[in-house]
Amino acid sequence: MEALIPVINKLQDVFNTVGADIIHLPQIAVVGTQSSGKSSVLESLVGRDILPRGTGIVTRRPLILQLVHIDSEDGRKTSEENGIDGEEWGKFLHTKSKTYTDFDEIRQEIEAETERISGNNKGVSDEPIHLKIFSPHVVNLTLVDLPGLTKLPVGDQPKDIEVQIKELILKYISNPNSIILAVTAANTDMATSEALKVAREVDPDGRRTLAVVTKLDLMDAGTDAMDVLMGRVIPVKLGIIGVVNRSQLDINQKKLVSDATRDEYAFLQKRYPSLANRNGTKYLARTLNRLLMHHIRDCLPELKTRINVLAAQYQSLLNSYGEPVEDKSSTLLQLITKFAAEYCHTIEGTAKYIETTELCGGARICYIFHETFGRTLESVDPLGNLTTIDVLTAIRNATGPRPALFVPEVSFELLVKRQVKRLEEPSLRCVELVHEEMQRIIQHCSNYSTQELLRFPKLHDAIVEVVTSLLRKRLPVTNEMVHNLVAIELAYINTKHPDFADACGLMNNNIEEQRRNRMRDLPSAVPRDKAAGGSQSGNASEQTDGGTGNWRGMLKKGEDGQSGDRTMLQHQLPASPHRGHAVNLLDVPVPVSRRLSAREQRDCEVIERLIKSYFLIVRKNIQDSVPKAVMHFLVNHVKDCLQSELVGQLYKAGLLDDLLTESEDMAQRRNEAADMLKALQKASQVIAEIRETHLW
């Protein structure tokens, strides 16, 4: 069990070499208010004066203090081998291999290193100082001396010094593998202990908190700390240990720590004889050593798991950085081929890295075709932007100066082309959306699929430029094809289309059915033949009066308004010529409202039904042919030509050195990842040795 603490020290050394703070190792964090005696407690455990002294805040950076117990004989051998004068010495991490045998020099180095990082304005820093003390007079411990809790800034201290210090303390004591040593002065109220209050924030059950009561000799006359030490005031699960610190006078007079420990024992025997064996600096050191050993034993399984997980993560990270390039030609060809393959796989849906947050690649292209484009076409009204006046005007313009007996076919073609033309804009927008998605796939492949490209930013930029250029060249070709698809539909209105012929037949049947219904509704006194004749005569009248724009036909009232319930039509009356004024027959008529005649209404309905029927046929064709054209001229063409285009543009001897230049920090990150992986592997070996020696 005793050997567990040196193992943790060895692990600490391993991670110190890479400057990593990713593993929370078991350690003892010392917490207390300013001037509560924290530094004196630590010096008592070390047996030497090593910490800076002064008024106000002195500890302004965390000091990670590793105490390493060595046998006297081993210490002498090590001293002789390394030319060290003395059986005790210290080493700082930041001074590398330099050894300190003068403990006053150690204290001065702590002060200098604190000033170097934290400045001289009494500010604090969370960057720790690592100090290792080798001595035959210490027990194996790892302690962290933290800045003292304070309330108000003093002098040049920052205004938020209280918050800074508390956050720094919480950073260390929040580590579940740490033991909290809460230091409180005996001449203060234990119930108001700031150290215990902070400790309870992160350790509410008190499973890893040990309380230390300092300055037992400074309590008011007639009072003692018996109730506090017995846990009657504030119970602490791991216990409460009282100690006696050296006074400032003792420190000024260079009183040895060993002498102070002897005087402490005498004081406890005199004032607290029943508790003397369970208090004092020596008992505190043994207790901390025992607690730390048991804590390490409990933490090792989780620590081992954490180290293995991190090792796997750093191995993966190192693999993503790749090895240093030796054969540039082969590496360039390999990266180009891999990018082209990943680009095509993303379109086909077989990429290694599948997005789970949004559609991308081929899935988004499919969505554009069948959801975005399809719904947009379906939302286009076959008769949109087409009024009854437009239809009637087209019919009349198509008849010329002669009255027409039938609806002119030219008017249908004119109007249906106008409606079909409206399908071109959403079709071109479909091409644009697919082009944008093809651009997005480039970034997707760079971020997720081929991380090796991040090593070579110039190659990455060159690949992006080549693919973007290829897409840019295919865009006008695809747009032209889609434009032609609409132009093809406009070039020939196929009224013999099977679907259109069926619609015409059904419409004629409906018109005939309506005629028969009107015949049935005539009064029985009217002979059918006369009724039919009258109807024909009426139709002829409509042809001459209403159908061709005859003014008398326009002004007829009553008979023309019986069956017209559709749209109010506006015409105009010629202004009555005043006496003495000539009549201008080209004057634009003033509109006058009237209802459509039965003939006009029927003609409009025929044209509208024909337009709608033929428009739906064309829309169906466009909805089917545009995605096929986009796939052939844009998507599939890029897939087929991408690799050859990349190789042709980039695989050139003159570009190898430039394209395969790594980013400035890539080599550094690779080295850091390799060092961290090596440290984690060493740590794993250390823990494996624990199992082999049955220490765990």
Side-chain angles (χ1 to χ4, degrees):
M1 285 286 291
E2 181 68 26
L4 285 176
I5 297 178
V7 168
I8 293 299
N9 289 339
K10 188 182 294 185
L11 289 176
Q12 185 72 58
D13 293 341
V14 168
F15 292 116
N16 285 345
T17 58
V18 292
D21 192 23
I22 59 173
I23 295 289
H24 297 301
L25 297 173
Q27 56 193 10
I28 300 170
V30 185
V31 182
T33 58
Q34 289 182 17
S35 303
S36 61
K38 294 188 294 80
S39 298
S40 295
V41 170
L42 289 175
E43 288 181 336
S44 298
L45 294 174
V46 177
R48 289 280 195 160
D49 294 336
I50 62 169
L51 299 176
R53 294 284 181 167
T55 58
I57 182 170
V58 178
T59 305
R60 296 188 287 126
R61 287 178 61 185
L63 174 65
I64 298 179
L65 179 62
Q66 291 176 260
L67 304 182
V68 182
H69 176 78
I70 56 174
D71 294 332
S72 299
E73 187 64 27
D74 293 338
R76 281 194 296 272
K77 289 182 180 180
T78 305
S79 299
E80 293 173 1
E81 292 173 358
N82 295 281
I84 299 174
D85 184 16
E87 61 178 3
E88 297 177 294
W89 66 90
K91 285 185 176 181
F92 286 98
L93 177 64
H94 63 273
T95 58
K96 306 302 180 185
S97 59
K98 184 177 180 180
T99 302
Y100 296 82
T101 56
D102 185 351
F103 284 83
D104 288 335
E105 191 177 352
I106 290 177
R107 182 174 63 252
Q108 293 169 4
E109 180 60 31
I110 293 175
E111 292 176 347
E113 182 64 11
T114 300
E115 295 272 341
R116 186 177 69 85
I117 299 297
S118 302
N120 54 9
N121 65 339
K122 299 298 182 180
V124 296
S125 169
D126 62 351
E127 185 176 338
I129 300 173
H130 293 267
L131 171 62
K132 186 180 290 188
I133 300 293
F134 299 85
S135 172
H137 308 300
V138 299
V139 295
N140 290 312
L141 287 175
T142 301
L143 302 149
V144 183
D145 186 22
L146 296 168
L149 290 162
T150 185
K151 290 294 184 183
L152 298 173
V154 177
D156 295 333
Q157 285 182 342
K159 294 182 179 180
D160 62 340
I161 188 69
E162 177 187 3
V163 176
Q164 289 186 28
I165 293 176
K166 187 171 182 179
E167 289 178 351
L168 174 58
I169 291 173
L170 289 174
K171 175 182 175 181
Y172 280 87
I173 66 176
S174 297
N175 171 15
N177 295 335
S178 67
I179 294 175
I180 305 171
L181 190 65
V183 179
T184 304
N187 55 1
T188 61
D189 189 352
M190 189 74 170
T192 61
S193 170
E194 288 291 332
L196 288 175
K197 179 183 176 182
V198 173
R200 283 190 175 179
E201 290 183 18
V202 295
D203 182 33
D205 298 331
R207 295 180 179 179
R208 52 188 184 90
T209 301
L210 174 68
V212 174
V213 179
T214 61
K215 303 180 182 180
L216 291 175
D217 56 330
L218 297 182
M219 296 189 69
D220 293 339
T223 62
D224 60 32
M226 185 67 71
D227 289 341
V228 172
L229 297 176
M230 294 292 290
R232 295 169 185 163
V233 179
I234 300 292
V236 180
K237 190 168 292 186
L238 293 185
I240 301 174
I241 299 175
V243 296
V244 176
N245 305 109
R246 288 181 300 166
S247 65
Q248 189 61 45
L249 179 62
D250 294 335
I251 295 172
N252 295 338
Q253 293 178 351
K254 305 294 183 180
K255 184 177 182 179
L256 297 177
V257 175
S258 56
D259 294 339
T261 302
R262 186 177 61 252
D263 294 344
E264 176 192 50
Y265 179 74
F267 175 83
L268 292 173
Q269 287 289 349
K270 178 180 178 182
R271 296 292 302 272
Y272 304 96
S274 61
L275 302 178
N277 294 331
R278 286 181 288 156
N279 289 277
T281 301
K282 289 186 177 181
Y283 181 77
L284 174 62
R286 293 195 302 270
T287 301
L288 290 175
N289 180 263
R290 174 178 55 82
L291 289 174
L292 188 57
M293 283 192 299
H294 285 87
H295 197 60
I296 291 171
R297 184 191 61 187
D298 296 338
C299 293
L300 276 179
E302 183 182 351
L303 194 60
K304 178 178 181 295
T305 302
R306 173 68 174 162
I307 288 174
N308 290 338
V309 169
L310 285 173
Q313 291 176 351
Y314 273 91
Q315 182 66 62
S316 176
L317 182 63
L318 188 60
N319 292 340
S320 70
Y321 292 153
E323 297 295 330
V325 178
E326 296 179 359
D327 187 349
K328 293 187 176 182
S329 178
S330 174
T331 300
L332 178 60
L333 186 59
Q334 181 182 359
L335 289 174
I336 288 175
T337 302
K338 186 171 184 179
F339 178 88
E342 289 295 338
Y343 190 92
C344 296
H345 290 331
T346 303
I347 294 175
E348 295 164 359
T350 57
K352 182 179 179 181
Y353 297 92
I354 300 294
E355 276 282 1
T356 58
T357 56
E358 63 175 353
L359 294 177
C360 72
R364 181 177 284 273
I365 292 174
C366 178
Y367 183 87
I368 291 170
F369 286 157
H370 302 291
E371 297 294 332
T372 307
F373 178 59
R375 289 181 179 177
T376 302
L377 288 188
E378 290 172 1
S379 67
V380 178
D381 182 9
L383 301 176
N385 299 330
L386 189 64
T387 65
T388 305
I389 297 178
D390 296 336
V391 176
L392 191 58
T393 302
I395 294 173
R396 290 181 171 179
N397 286 337
T399 61
R402 296 172 302 280
L405 295 176
F406 306 101
V407 177
E409 188 172 334
V410 176
S411 61
F412 161 71
E413 286 200 12
L414 176 67
L415 294 172
V416 81
K417 286 182 179 181
R418 171 178 163 182
Q419 297 305 101
V420 169
K421 183 69 176 175
R422 297 169 59 213
L423 298 176
E424 183 174 8
E425 183 179 351
S427 300
L428 294 175
R429 177 58 180 160
C430 176
V431 177
E432 184 180 349
L433 291 175
V434 174
H435 177 266
E436 290 175 359
E437 179 56 28
M438 299 283 281
Q439 284 284 152
R440 289 180 69 247
I441 295 175
I442 302 175
Q443 192 63 35
H444 173 82
C445 292
S446 301
N447 291 342
Y448 299 100
S449 303
T450 53
Q451 292 189 1
E452 293 92 339
L453 282 179
L454 300 179
R455 294 177 57 191
F456 311 109
K458 291 186 177 180
L459 175 60
H460 174 266
D461 294 342
I463 288 177
V464 171
E465 179 60 33
V466 171
V467 181
T468 302
S469 177
L470 179 59
L471 290 171
R472 194 184 303 119
K473 286 190 293 186
R474 296 307 302 173
L475 184 59
V477 177
T478 310
N479 282 335
E480 182 66 20
M481 182 60 200
V482 170
H483 172 77
N484 287 338
L485 288 175
V486 179
I488 288 169
E489 296 291 347
L490 295 173
Y492 181 64
I493 305 301
N494 183 16
T495 55
K496 292 296 184 181
H497 192 284
D499 295 341
F500 186 68
D502 293 343
C504 290
L506 181 61
M507 184 176 60
N508 290 334
N509 292 337
N510 290 338
I511 293 174
E512 183 63 24
E513 181 67 24
Q514 292 175 5
R515 189 188 68 79
R516 286 197 295 267
N517 291 338
R518 287 197 300 271
M519 294 294 292
R520 281 198 303 268
D521 294 340
L522 288 174
S524 57
V526 180
R528 292 290 175 183
D529 56 347
K530 292 185 178 180
S535 176
Q536 293 171 1
S537 174
N539 288 341
S541 175
E542 289 171 4
Q543 291 281 350
T544 57
D545 293 341
T548 62
N550 185 279
W551 292 115
R552 290 194 301 274
M554 288 184 180
L555 295 174
K556 287 174 64 179
K557 297 182 180 179
E559 58 185 20
D560 292 339
Q562 292 176 357
S563 60
D565 57 353
R566 187 169 163 81
T567 306
M568 296 295 291
L569 201 58
Q570 292 188 351
H571 295 281
Q572 72 179 87
L573 289 172
S576 299
H578 297 285
R579 188 178 304 275
H581 293 277
V583 178
N584 186 358
L585 297 179
L586 297 180
D587 280 345
V588 178
V590 178
V592 175
S593 298
R594 73 170 182 82
R595 293 188 177 275
L596 293 178
S597 66
R599 168 65 184 275
E600 291 171 337
Q601 181 177 343
R602 186 171 65 252
D603 290 350
C604 289
E605 288 179 356
V606 168
I607 292 295
E608 288 175 354
R609 290 182 183 182
L610 291 175
I611 291 173
K612 183 173 183 180
S613 175
Y614 196 82
F615 181 87
L616 295 179
I617 294 171
V618 175
R619 186 173 71 184
K620 184 177 180 181
N621 293 341
I622 294 296
Q623 191 169 352
D624 178 64
S625 59
V626 167
K628 292 178 179 178
V630 174
M631 287 299 297
H632 176 72
F633 286 92
L634 181 61
V635 180
N636 290 344
H637 186 278
V638 171
K639 282 172 52 182
D640 296 339
C641 300
L642 179 59
Q643 182 165 351
S644 60
E645 189 76 13
L646 288 171
V647 171
Q649 295 286 337
L650 304 179
Y651 191 64
K652 299 176 182 178
L655 298 177
L656 286 177
D657 293 337
D658 186 50
L659 292 178
L660 294 181
T661 301
E662 285 189 316
S663 59
E664 296 179 357
D665 61 338
M666 182 57 67
Q668 179 182 352
R669 283 189 287 175
R670 187 193 298 111
N671 293 335
E672 290 175 353
D675 293 342
M676 180 57 68
L677 180 61
K678 191 179 298 182
L680 290 166
Q681 291 171 343
K682 285 183 180 179
S684 183
Q685 292 175 0
V686 170
I687 293 180
E689 292 172 2
I690 299 176
R691 280 188 173 277
E692 293 174 2
T693 54
H694 306 289
L695 293 173
W696 187 349

